[in-house]
């Protein structure tokens, strides 16, 4: 701490030099592969013509954004995207945490390990494959509806009925990803100081109390970071999944920004429009992340990054 | 048989005339190139001594296989091109999927990378962008100068082939013809018809009776109400490439197509009154259980599964469905192709295959158009069913055929080392068919005639049902085809607005069919369609049409 | 103590049952893929295979292992995954270690890193950078652009911060430099998180296919995920001239299934080895004693 009292910025920098060197390689790579290409963002304000190149294409200002927002369907599409994505973010955080806690209670190591390995499997199947399987499973004569039939419930058109379609999207996404997402919470659980449990035990606290007072607080930093970072996906509702499952019957409830851009792209292959939409999504995510960073820092006195 | 001969005859006449014309043309322009290659267009091999390199880029998908340690840069076809034509084929780059190919080309044109000399794509949006970039060759003169007589004759026969690549009267690519030989027939369960004492349906009313019986009279005899009348896919709209329902609309107007109206102008099919009737018919069928309840979520190949599994009585689709996919050898029941019943307007009609869906494009700095056309004519030999072609027996001996006692044999088991599809190595990575020629040969076989030429023999090894389907199709193909007349590059309003219109259309139609919207919503759709850009597109399409038909 | 109580025993029983059911639910699709891969082609096309093979056969596996492209792509996938993960983990640990310290400029660095997670210039400029650096058709094109993982770096930093300050200070007093503190204190204490993030990185590399399609200009050098992409795309015959051999390729659903299964196998086998680091739950405590 004596360095600060001397007040010399330069010597502070020299003392910190090793720290800068630890970070520098990553920064250099980011500059080359992420920041340099960001020059391409100007495409969003141009009517890009290959013949004229990046610097001579005509400027159109906010035309592409106007097109996105004045499009008759755009409100619906943006709302769908937001709704589906945020439900997924919440479900994909809450359920893996719950699952990690339940798994944490298991003492039988073989069982614990096998369950964990098995729930991790669906992550490795692509939506093209799962799309085909789900179409069969959820059809009117499929397994899901047969099961409902035994319970005396009339069959549900999961993929053809708007509200059920959203439900299906979220449930199937959770089912595919929760096992994989659980891993990070399990890793965090290993960091919980075991002596805290022992102390609580002596105080006579039950398992539920221990979970509430020891385990969850220990997880909170990781939860906050993951929630915040996943805000970056607030307008990514999962193109691959929806593209492989949607159909005209559920356009109203299931069409999202990415599928919309895909269809427009098929018609005119415009990179400018795609860039503009990408920029819009980035700005929204950025605002949300800044807000949640500030909230955590100001009110929770907690640094996310 | 007779008809086929006349076709061939007229082709030869056209050929003879064009040889004369072409000869004159190329003599007139001699000396433009290095001198040695000037005359090659008509003569074929006069300038073939000097080796030239033609670069390309291509998709190498799972359908391309190799033998004898060869690969895509070094194989029997490339050797042939080098030895026989002095053309060294070179792949600048290869990708595994069509999507990746399009993306890569689009990136190349956007980042000013050098395009390969020759490449093919069917993406007209990409082509428009490529033409606009100024990187493509205008082949108008080169075609006149170097194209072989029979190729010129083909384009004279079908001048509309040029439409997709024509901009301001100049031609920026070479359209490649489709076979136009397999769509569409109605596949039906003959055993079910027999069991229920029904005749094959010829009209819409008869079709409904048959569907009703197939649905409700337990044709499979398992005492369960588990059969449907017809397998249909609605996920991509009512007019699609397999398990489609487009024949319901007859000839009056075809959804998604631009067809000539009574005033001689092009009109969009989906907004015509007759389509409203067709859609309401589908809604009625859905309600009565004739169709699969899941039709809206099933894509084309999934929709056909109910027919394959023996739960459905009919499916409408191409004759090639009997080629091994999607129909399988395990379908242990009697089914066959029948002519399609007449649609709601009392006429037979179906959405016809386009004349062209792939085009060759050329880098504007490519110097050897003459040699390219020589090569093209050679690989088009089989497409013209030219018995003199060096590929008349097949693409490479020991790959897709073997000779036995001086006769080509196509039995895959007899080829040492197994069948390898050598036509996949060509610049088109397939054989180039010419319209309706394949249908003639297949129908001839389907009618029970013995194979004569080597082409007949190649096709004779195909599934019998496919051949019979061709014979059925031939009886009505010409009169029932409804061709989409809008084959030009997308118009400005189309690029901007057709996405919205298409979505609106599919949504409206499907909701009517599923009964969640009343049939009246069709009228609302038509109004909205016109306002949201449909009228504008119609105007532009007709301006384009007027510019090409003059 | 609580383990002996009746309510906890009931809870434990229900818990085991519930977790078992979830595991079962998750494994069904893979069993389906496996069943298809052992079925006859006709049965697969007709879609009558559910969870047990119909007309059992090994043909699909025979053909898969006869395909040099498939085997090559496996090798490229392993090469890419191993080298990519090593690189990413080196960068992640190094940057996260630096960022876990307090010093002027730390916040700026963090934002520079997080910013890239959100904003990008799109396909064209990224492609231009890679081609201009002449990385096309090399392994570098697949590992360099994605070498810095924002998510991993931030998460690693969080884990590093959780390490008790007293341990660090104690060793600093001993005169240990930054590097030695990292090696002797941070790394051993962070094995669970390192294992977790390595797994994320490996899985990411194993599954990523789009960059392969873009930057590898020779289809024979595709890594596995890219190769698989070329075989699972469903055919769209709307506007193409129909060719029976392409149809035949479509019908090979059994081979596709076999390849998907074999393709997932290596990464599934890695899992149990890393698993021990984040299942036991005592690693951290043990080191601290």
């Amino acid at each position: 701490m004596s360095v600060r009292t001397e007040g010399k910025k330069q010597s502070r920098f020299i003392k910190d030099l090793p720290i800068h060197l630890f970070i520098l390689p990553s920064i250099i790579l980011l500059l080359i592969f992420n920041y340099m290409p960001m020059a391409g963002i100007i495409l969003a304000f141009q009517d890009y013509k290959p013949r004229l190149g990046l610097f001579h294409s005509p400027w159109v200002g906010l035309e592409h954004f106007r097109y996105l927002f004045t499009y008759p369907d755009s409100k619906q599409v943006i709302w769908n995207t937001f709704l589906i994505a945020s439900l997924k973010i919440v479900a994909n955080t809450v359920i893996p945490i719950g699952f990690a806690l339940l798994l944490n209670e298991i003492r039988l190591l073989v069982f614990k390990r096998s369950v964990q390995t098995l729930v991790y499997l669906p992550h490795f199947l692509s939506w093209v494959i799962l799309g085909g399987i789900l179409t069969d499973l959820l059809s009117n004569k499929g397994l899901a509806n047969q099961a409902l039939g035994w319970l005396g419930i009339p069959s549900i058109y999961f993929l053809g009925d708007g509200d059920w379609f959203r439900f299906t999207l979220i449930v199937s996404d959770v089912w595919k990803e929760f096992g994989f997402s659980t891993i990070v919470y399990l890793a965090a659980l290993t960091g919980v100081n075991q002596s805290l449990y022992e102390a609580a035990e002596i105080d006579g606290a039950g398992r539920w109390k221990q979970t509430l007072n020891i385990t969850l607080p220990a997880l909170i930093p990781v939860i906050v970071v993951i929630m915040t970072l996943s805000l970056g996906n607030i307008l990514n509702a999962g193109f691959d999944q929806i593209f492989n499952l949607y159909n005209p019957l559920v356009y109203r409830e299931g069409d999202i920004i990415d599928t919309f851009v895909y269809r427009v792209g098929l018609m005119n292959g415009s990179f400018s429009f795609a860039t503009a939409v990408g920029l819009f999504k980035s700005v929204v995510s950025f605002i949300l992340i800044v807000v949640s960073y500030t909230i955590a820092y100001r009110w929770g006195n907690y640094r996310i990054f | 048989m007779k008809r086929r001969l006349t076709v061939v005859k007229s082709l030869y006449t056209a050929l003879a005339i064009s040889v004369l014309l072409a000869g004159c043309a190329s003599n007139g322009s001699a000396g433009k190139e290095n001198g040695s290659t000037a005359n090659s267009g008509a003569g074929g091999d006069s300038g073939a001594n000097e080796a030239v390199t033609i670069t390309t880029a291509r998709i190498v998908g799972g359908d391309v296989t190799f033998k004898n340690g060869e690969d895509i840069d070094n194989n029997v076809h490339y050797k042939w091109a080098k030895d026989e034509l002095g053309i060294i084929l070179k792949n600048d780059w290869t990708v595994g999927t069509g999507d990746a190919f399009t993306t890569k080309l689009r990136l190349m044109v956007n980042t000013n990378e050098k395009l390969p000399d020759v490449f093919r794509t069917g993406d007209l949006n990409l082509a428009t962008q490529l033409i606009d970039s100024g990187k493509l060759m205008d082949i108008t003169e080169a075609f006149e100068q170097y194209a072989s007589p029979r190729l010129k004759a083909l384009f004279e026969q079908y001048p509309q082939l040029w439409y997709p690549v024509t901009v301001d009267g100049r031609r920026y690519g070479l359209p490649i013809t489709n076979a136009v030989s397999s769509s569409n027939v109605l596949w039906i369960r003959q055993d079910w018809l027999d069991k229920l004492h029904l005749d094959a349906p010829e009209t819409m009313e008869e079709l409904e009776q048959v569907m009703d019986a197939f649905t409700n009279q337990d044709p499979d005899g398992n005492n369960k109400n588990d059969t449907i009348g017809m397998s249909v896919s609605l996920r991509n709209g009512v007019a699609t490439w397999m398990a489609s329902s487009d024949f319901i609309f007859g000839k009056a107007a075809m959804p998604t197509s631009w067809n000539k109206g009574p005033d001689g102008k092009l009109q969009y099919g989906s907004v015509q009154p007759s389509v409203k009737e067709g859609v309401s018919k589908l809604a009625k069928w859905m309600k009565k259980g004739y169709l699969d309840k899941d039709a809206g979520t099933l894509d084309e190949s999934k929709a056909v599964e109910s027919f394959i599994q023996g739960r459905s009585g009919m499916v409408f689709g191409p004759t090639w469905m009997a080629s091994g996919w999607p129909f399988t050898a395990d379908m242990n029941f009697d089914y066959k192709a029948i002519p399609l019943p007449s649609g709601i307007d009392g006429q037979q009609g179906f959405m016809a295959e386009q004349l062209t869906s792939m085009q060759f494009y050329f880098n504007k700095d490519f110097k050897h158009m003459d040699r390219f056309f020589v090569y093209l004519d050679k690989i088009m030999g089989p497409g013209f069913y030219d018995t003199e072609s060096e590929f008349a027996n097949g693409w490479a001996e020991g790959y897709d055929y073997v000779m036995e006692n001086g006769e080509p044999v196509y039995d895959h088991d007899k080829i040492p080392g197994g069948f390898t599809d050598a036509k996949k190595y060509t610049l088109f990575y397939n054989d180039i068919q010419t319209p309706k020629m394949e249908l003639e040969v297949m129908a001839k076989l389907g009618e029970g005639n013995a194979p004569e030429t080597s082409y007949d023999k190649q096709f004779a090894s195909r599934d019998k049902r496919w051949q019979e389907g061709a014979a059925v199709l031939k009886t009505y193909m010409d009169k029932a085809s409804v061709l989409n007349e809008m084959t030009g590059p997308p118009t400005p309003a189309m690029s901007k607005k057709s996405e919205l219109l298409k979505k609106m259309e599919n949504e409206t139609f499907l909701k009517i069919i599923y009964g969640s919207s009343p049939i009246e919503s069709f009228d609302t759709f038509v109004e909205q369609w016109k306002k949201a850009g449909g009228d504008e597109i119609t105007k532009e399409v007709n301006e384009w049409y007027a510019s090409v038909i003059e | 103590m609580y383990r002996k109580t009746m309510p906890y025993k009931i809870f434990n029983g229900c818990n085991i049952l519930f977790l078992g059911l979830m595991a079962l639910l998750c494994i069904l699709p893979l069993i389906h893929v496996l069943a298809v891969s052992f079925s006859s082609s006709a049965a697969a096309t007709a879609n009558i295979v559910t969870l047990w093979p119909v007309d059992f056969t090994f043909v699909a596996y025979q053909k898969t292992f006869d395909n040099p492209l498939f085997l090559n792509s496996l090798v490229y996938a392993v090469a890419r995954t191993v080298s990519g993960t090593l690189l990413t983990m080196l960068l992640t640990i190094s940057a996260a270690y630096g960022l876990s310290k307090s010093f002027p400029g730390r916040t700026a660095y963090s934002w520079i890193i997080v910013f890239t997670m959100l904003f990008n210039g799109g396909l064209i400029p990224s492609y231009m950078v890679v081609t201009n650096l002449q990385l096309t058709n090399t392994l570098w094109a697949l590992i360099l652009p994605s070498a810095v993982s924002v998510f991993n770096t931030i998460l690693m930093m969080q884990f590093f911060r959780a390490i008790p300050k007293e341990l660090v200070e104690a060793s600093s007093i001993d005169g240990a430099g930054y590097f030695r503190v990292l090696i002797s204190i941070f790394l051993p204490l962070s094995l669970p998180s390192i294992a977790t993030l390595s797994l994320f990185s490996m899985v990411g590399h194993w599954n990523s296919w789009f960059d392969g399609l873009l930057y590898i200009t020779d289809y024979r050098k595709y890594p596995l995920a890219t190769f698989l992409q070329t075989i699972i795309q469903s055919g769209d015959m709307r506007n193409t001239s129909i060719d029976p051999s392409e149809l035949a390729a479509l019908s090979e659903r059994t081979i596709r299934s076999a390849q998907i299964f074999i393709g997932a196998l290596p990464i599934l086998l890695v899992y149990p080895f890393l698993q021990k680091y984040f299942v036991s739950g005592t690693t951290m405590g043990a080191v601290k004693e």
Side-chain angles (χ1 to χ4, degrees):
Chain A
M1 294 305 109
S2 62
V3 182
R4 197 176 289 167
T5 46
E6 271 176 40
K8 274 194 176 174
K9 270 196 173 168
Q10 210 158 6
S11 67
R12 169 86 215 214
F13 182 77
I14 289 170
K15 183 185 172 283
D16 287 343
L17 192 63
I19 300 182
H20 291 281
L21 289 180
F22 276 115
I23 304 173
L24 212 57
S26 291
I27 299 290
I28 291 173
L29 279 171
L30 287 179
L31 284 180
I32 297 174
F33 291 103
N34 295 74
Y35 281 94
M36 251 162 58
M38 276 188 209
I41 287 178
I42 62 171
L43 244 70
F45 307 98
Q46 288 181 334
D47 179 19
Y48 181 65
K49 294 258 184 287
R51 194 162 28 126
L52 304 173
L54 201 57
F55 300 104
H56 303 283
S57 290
W59 292 90
V60 294
L62 298 176
E63 180 55 38
H64 296 301
F65 297 92
R66 199 169 300 138
Y67 182 69
L68 172 65
F69 293 116
T70 54
Y71 208 75
D73 283 354
S74 62
K75 255 190 219 125
Q76 183 73 43
V77 167
I78 294 171
W79 168 244
N80 286 346
T81 313
F82 177 75
L83 185 72
I84 295 170
S86 29
L87 287 175
K88 277 186 181 174
I89 289 176
V90 172
N92 275 324
T93 318
V94 173
I95 292 170
I97 294 171
F99 199 78
L101 291 177
L102 289 180
L103 209 56
N104 201 37
E105 292 306 307
I106 302 287
R107 292 283 119 177
L108 195 62
L109 216 56
V110 184
F111 182 73
K112 193 174 177 181
R113 283 193 172 196
S114 342
V115 167
Q116 220 197 323
T117 310
L118 296 181
V119 296
Y120 152 94
L121 293 176
H123 178 78
F124 292 90
L125 293 174
S126 65
W127 277 114
V128 187
I129 308 295
L130 288 176
I133 296 177
L134 282 179
T135 314
D136 289 337
L137 205 66
L138 300 176
S139 72
N140 283 297
K141 291 203 170 79
L143 214 57
N145 274 316
Q146 280 176 23
L148 289 179
W150 295 326
L151 301 173
I153 301 168
S155 87
I156 294 168
Y157 198 7
F158 288 100
L159 296 173
D161 182 309
D163 295 326
W164 281 109
F165 183 70
R166 283 181 186 154
F167 172 81
T168 309
L169 287 180
I170 289 150
V171 170
S172 59
D173 190 62
V174 167
W175 166 76
K176 183 175 187 289
E177 299 301 338
F178 84 93
F180 195 71
S181 322
T182 301
I183 293 171
V184 69
Y185 299 109
L186 286 173
L189 280 176
T190 62
V192 181
N193 196 337
Q194 295 298 309
S195 53
L196 291 176
Y197 290 118
E198 285 152 25
E201 197 102 329
I202 292 163
D203 291 348
R207 192 56 178 167
W208 177 241
K209 276 247 168 71
Q210 293 180 18
T211 306
L212 224 54
N213 296 331
I214 303 171
T215 320
L216 270 180
L219 285 181
I220 285 207
V222 176
I223 295 174
V224 173
V225 171
I226 290 186
M227 275 294 250
T228 306
L229 291 183
S230 58
L231 287 178
N233 286 321
I234 195 73
L235 289 178
N236 292 329
F239 174 80
D240 278 346
Q241 182 196 23
I242 293 178
F243 185 70
N244 280 300
L245 289 176
Y246 84 156
N247 59 76
L249 285 172
V250 294
Y251 274 166
R252 196 166 296 278
E253 294 85 4
D255 200 13
I256 55 165
I257 297 177
D258 290 348
T259 47
F260 163 72
V261 171
Y262 175 84
R263 292 198 309 271
V264 173
L266 276 188
M267 300 292 171
N268 52 25
S270 151
F271 277 113
S272 286
F273 180 63
T275 311
V277 174
L279 187 58
F280 163 67
K281 285 165 55 177
S282 301
V283 169
V284 172
S285 308
F286 186 66
I287 293 170
L288 285 176
I289 288 190
V290 170
V291 167
S292 71
Y293 176 88
T294 320
I295 291 176
Y297 190 48
R298 288 270 164 81
W299 282 281
N301 199 18
Y302 175 74
R303 286 218 132 155
I304 294 169
F305 33 78
Chain B
M1 177 70 195
K2 238 183 195 152
R3 214 177 123 190
R4 183 167 171 272
L5 268 182
T6 47
V7 172
V8 174
K9 232 186 217 166
S10 58
L11 262 178
Y12 273 104
T13 324
L15 192 142
I17 296 169
S18 340
V19 167
L20 290 173
L21 291 172
C24 299
S26 59
N27 279 339
S29 64
K32 200 178 165 198
E33 290 282 324
N34 295 334
S36 64
T37 54
N39 205 18
S40 55
D45 48 15
S46 58
N49 309 323
E50 193 186 317
V52 298
T53 301
I54 298 182
T55 61
T56 188
R58 57 166 292 161
I59 308 165
V60 186
D63 53 328
V64 188
T65 52
F66 301 94
K67 72 194 304 185
N68 307 334
E70 293 179 345
D71 62 26
I72 196 61
D73 299 317
N74 168 31
N75 57 56
V76 64
H77 183 75
Y78 282 34
K79 255 179 243 136
W80 167 84
K82 186 161 181 253
D83 296 345
E84 299 297 318
L85 306 179
I87 293 174
I88 300 161
L89 297 173
K90 194 172 157 288
N91 296 301
D92 271 357
W93 45 270
T94 49
V95 290
T97 70
D99 278 350
F101 186 79
T102 314
T103 308
K104 184 104 176 120
L105 267 182
R106 193 165 275 155
L107 280 169
M108 289 183 89
V109 67
N110 278 296
T111 58
N112 284 314
E113 275 184 90
K114 185 185 160 292
L115 292 175
D117 291 337
V118 187
F119 58 91
R120 57 158 247 194
T121 174
D123 187 328
L124 286 185
N125 291 302
L126 173 63
T128 310
Q129 217 174 29
L130 280 161
I131 293 169
D132 187 52
S133 76
K135 288 169 200 259
L136 289 187
M137 189 194 294
D138 169 2
I139 66 157
T140 318
E141 276 81 32
F143 180 83
E144 293 307 324
Q145 206 171 338
Y146 303 123
S148 69
R150 56 185 177 186
L151 187 63
K152 282 184 181 161
L154 184 67
F155 276 84
E156 269 157 39
Q157 192 187 348
Y158 300 107
Q160 64 272 41
L161 276 173
W162 285 116
Y163 294 173
V165 295
T166 306
V167 175
D168 298 332
R170 310 297 298 175
R171 293 156 181 172
Y172 289 93
L174 186 69
I176 294 303
T177 42
N178 283 338
V180 200
S181 293
S182 28
S183 67
N184 280 334
V185 292
L186 187 66
W187 295 98
I188 194 164
R189 288 287 295 263
Q190 184 61 44
D191 53 346
W192 287 11
L193 285 177
D194 293 343
K195 189 178 171 199
L196 301 173
H197 308 292
L198 294 163
D199 289 324
E202 284 174 14
T203 64
M204 189 99 314
E205 291 71 39
E206 289 172 15
L207 179 72
E208 286 185 305
Q209 283 161 14
V210 170
M211 281 201 296
D212 193 69
F214 280 1
T215 310
N216 299 319
Q217 295 183 22
D218 192 25
D220 59 352
N222 66 351
N223 291 320
K224 275 191 224 156
N225 185 16
D226 59 353
T227 51
I228 54 171
M230 190 179 337
S231 301
V232 158
S233 162
L234 296 172
R235 187 174 173 186
N236 296 315
V238 290
T240 184
W241 53 274
M242 187 166 75
S244 173
S245 36
D246 58 58
F247 72 97
I248 291 161
F249 301 94
K251 261 203 118 159
M254 184 59 65
T256 73
S257 275
W258 291 88
N259 309 114
K260 220 182 281 184
D263 56 353
K265 286 191 166 172
L266 294 189
Q267 55 183 29
Y268 188 57
S270 303
V271 293
Q272 304 308 319
S274 64
V275 169
K276 181 179 173 183
E277 270 177 73
V279 171
S280 78
K281 193 121 253 178
L282 279 166
K284 183 179 144 202
W285 293 356
M286 180 60 86
K287 202 171 162 205
K288 291 200 164 180
Y290 299 167
L291 309 178
D292 196 329
K293 284 264 175 292
D294 292 306
T297 40
L298 298 177
D299 67 16
E300 293 78 2
S301 44
K302 270 213 154 320
V304 185
E305 282 169 5
S306 55
F307 187 82
I308 303 171
Q309 294 165 356
R311 293 189 287 113
S312 157
M314 284 178 260
V315 62
F316 172 67
T319 54
W320 55 251
M321 286 173 79
S323 69
W325 187 90
F327 293 166
T328 72
D330 279 13
M331 291 160 65
N332 295 318
F333 46 76
D334 185 15
Y335 63 98
K336 67 173 194 183
I338 60 167
L340 43 120
S342 50
I344 34 159
D345 61 343
Q347 295 183 68
Q348 284 176 307
F350 66 92
M351 192 171 69
E353 188 183 344
Q354 293 298 313
L355 275 176
T356 174
S357 53
M358 266 304 158
Q359 299 83 36
F360 272 122
Y361 296 95
F362 307 87
N363 186 322
K364 76 174 182 333
D365 301 321
F366 178 48
K367 293 279 182 290
H368 307 290
M369 283 305 282
D370 52 341
R371 305 289 281 273
F372 171 79
F373 276 114
V374 173
Y375 171 84
L376 182 68
D377 188 68
K378 294 276 186 197
I379 64 165
M380 281 187 76
F384 287 113
Y385 292 79
D386 171 7
T387 48
E388 303 295 310
S389 163
E390 49 209 297
F391 300 118
N393 288 335
W395 289 88
E397 191 181 343
Y399 288 74
D400 54 352
Y401 73 100
V402 279
M403 297 300 281
E404 246 175 37
N405 310 323
E407 288 285 318
V409 176
Y410 301 100
D411 186 350
H412 289 189
D413 296 332
K414 291 199 172 150
I415 302 169
F419 170 83
T420 307
D421 204 355
K423 68 172 181 288
K424 298 277 165 181
Y425 308 153
T426 66
L427 276 184
F428 190 64
Y429 26 112
N430 216 332
D431 57 341
I432 298 175
Q433 287 286 339
T434 52
K436 295 181 197 166
M437 299 280 270
E438 182 187 330
L439 181 70
E440 296 288 336
V441 180
M442 289 292 283
K444 184 178 107 174
L445 296 168
E447 284 154 9
N449 298 306
E452 293 161 44
T453 68
S454 57
Y455 297 106
D456 299 354
K457 284 176 197 155
Q458 286 178 44
F459 290 158
S461 63
R462 289 177 168 178
D463 193 289
K464 195 83 201 128
R465 282 200 178 86
W466 188 1
Q467 297 162 7
E468 287 164 1
V472 169
L473 175 62
K474 203 185 130 184
T475 57
Y476 61 84
M477 173 141 164
D478 286 335
K479 75 168 193 253
S481 286
V482 181
L483 206 66
N484 183 7
E485 307 270 358
M486 168 60 199
T487 55
T491 69
M494 259 182 177
S495 305
K496 252 191 142 52
K497 294 181 174 154
S498 59
E499 188 281 329
L500 174 74
L501 300 179
K502 184 94 206 135
K503 180 178 164 186
M504 204 153 79
E505 173 184 331
N506 282 340
E507 194 175 355
T508 310
F509 285 16
L510 219 58
K511 288 205 161 160
I512 293 176
I513 295 171
Y514 268 87
S516 50
S517 298
I519 182 69
E520 288 72 38
S521 63
F522 185 91
D523 304 324
T524 328
F525 154 70
V526 173
E527 253 168 66
Q528 274 178 342
W529 184 86
K530 286 184 174 159
K531 259 188 258 160
D535 277 341
E536 196 183 344
I537 291 176
T538 309
K539 190 170 149 267
E540 285 179 358
V541 165
N542 275 297
E543 280 165 13
W544 166 83
Y545 192 57
S547 77
V548 291
I549 51 167
E550 63 197 24
Chain C
M1 317 292 148
Y2 62 84
R3 291 189 185 280
K4 302 248 165 70
T5 63
M6 200 55 193
Y8 189 82
K9 275 185 182 159
I10 294 172
F11 161 78
N12 206 28
C14 295
N15 192 19
I16 288 181
L17 200 71
F18 172 74
L19 294 179
L21 270 177
M22 289 299 270
L24 199 67
L25 211 60
C26 285
I27 197 176
L28 288 180
L30 206 75
I31 293 184
H32 170 75
V33 171
L34 205 59
V36 171
S37 72
F38 284 114
S39 298
S40 74
S41 176
T45 306
N47 196 16
I48 53 173
V49 185
T50 49
L51 297 175
W52 199 252
V54 177
D55 308 332
F56 191 90
T57 165
F58 281 111
V59 170
Y61 287 88
Q62 246 163 26
K63 285 196 181 164
T64 300
F65 284 111
D66 281 348
N67 185 350
L69 281 181
F70 178 78
L71 299 176
N72 272 346
S73 71
L74 259 177
V75 174
Y76 284 111
V78 171
R80 173 199 177 149
T81 304
V82 171
S83 56
T85 305
L86 275 177
L87 183 66
T88 299
M89 286 317 289
L90 276 180
L91 289 166
T92 300
I93 291 171
S94 156
Y97 179 62
L99 288 171
S100 70
K101 309 273 169 208
S102 290
F103 64 97
R106 201 201 69 89
T107 313
Y109 278 134
S110 297
W111 280 108
I112 288 176
I113 292 175
V114 172
F115 197 72
T116 62
M117 196 179 82
L118 299 172
F119 290 87
N120 64 76
L123 205 53
I124 300 178
S126 310
Y127 178 83
M128 281 172 92
V129 168
V130 173
T131 44
N132 283 332
L133 291 172
Q134 316 253 321
L135 300 179
T136 317
N137 234 2
T138 66
L139 208 55
W140 294 112
L142 304 181
I143 62 176
L144 277 185
S146 58
V148 181
S149 160
V150 179
F151 183 80
N152 283 8
T153 309
I154 301 289
L155 216 56
M156 195 75 215
M157 186 179 84
Q158 286 299 330
F159 285 125
F160 279 165
R161 276 194 191 159
I163 290 171
K165 290 244 173 0
E166 312 86 59
L167 283 175
V168 183
E169 274 160 21
S171 58
S172 301
I173 292 164
D174 291 347
Y178 284 116
F179 194 68
R180 253 190 62 197
V181 174
L182 173 64
I183 299 290
S184 58
I185 310 269
F186 278 73
L187 290 191
L189 283 180
S190 309
L191 285 181
S193 26
I194 291 175
T196 311
L197 297 182
S198 303
L199 183 74
F200 286 173
S201 179
M202 275 186 218
V203 169
H205 272 292
W206 194 262
N207 285 345
S208 125
W209 55 271
F210 188 66
D211 49 358
L213 280 183
L214 273 192
Y215 298 131
I216 301 298
T217 59
D218 183 342
Y219 75 103
R220 283 159 295 198
K221 294 185 182 164
Y222 279 164
L224 186 79
T226 310
F227 171 81
L228 287 179
Q229 195 64 28
T230 68
I231 59 163
I232 57 175
Q233 55 166 7
S234 60
D236 182 351
M237 304 288 170
R238 201 177 324 235
N239 284 321
T240 50
S241 195
I242 298 308
D243 166 40
S245 61
E246 274 165 39
L247 296 175
L250 272 181
S251 71
E252 293 182 336
R253 212 186 257 188
T254 57
I255 299 178
R256 224 178 307 159
S257 301
Q259 291 178 335
I260 286 164
F261 180 71
I262 302 173
L265 216 48
I267 198 81
L268 296 182
L269 291 178
V270 166
Y271 190 60
F273 290 100
L274 291 170
Q275 201 182 27
K276 64 172 177 238
Y277 292 104
F278 43 78
V279 170
S280 59
T282 50
T283 328
M284 197 97 158
V287 176
K288 247 184 269 170
E289 276 343 295

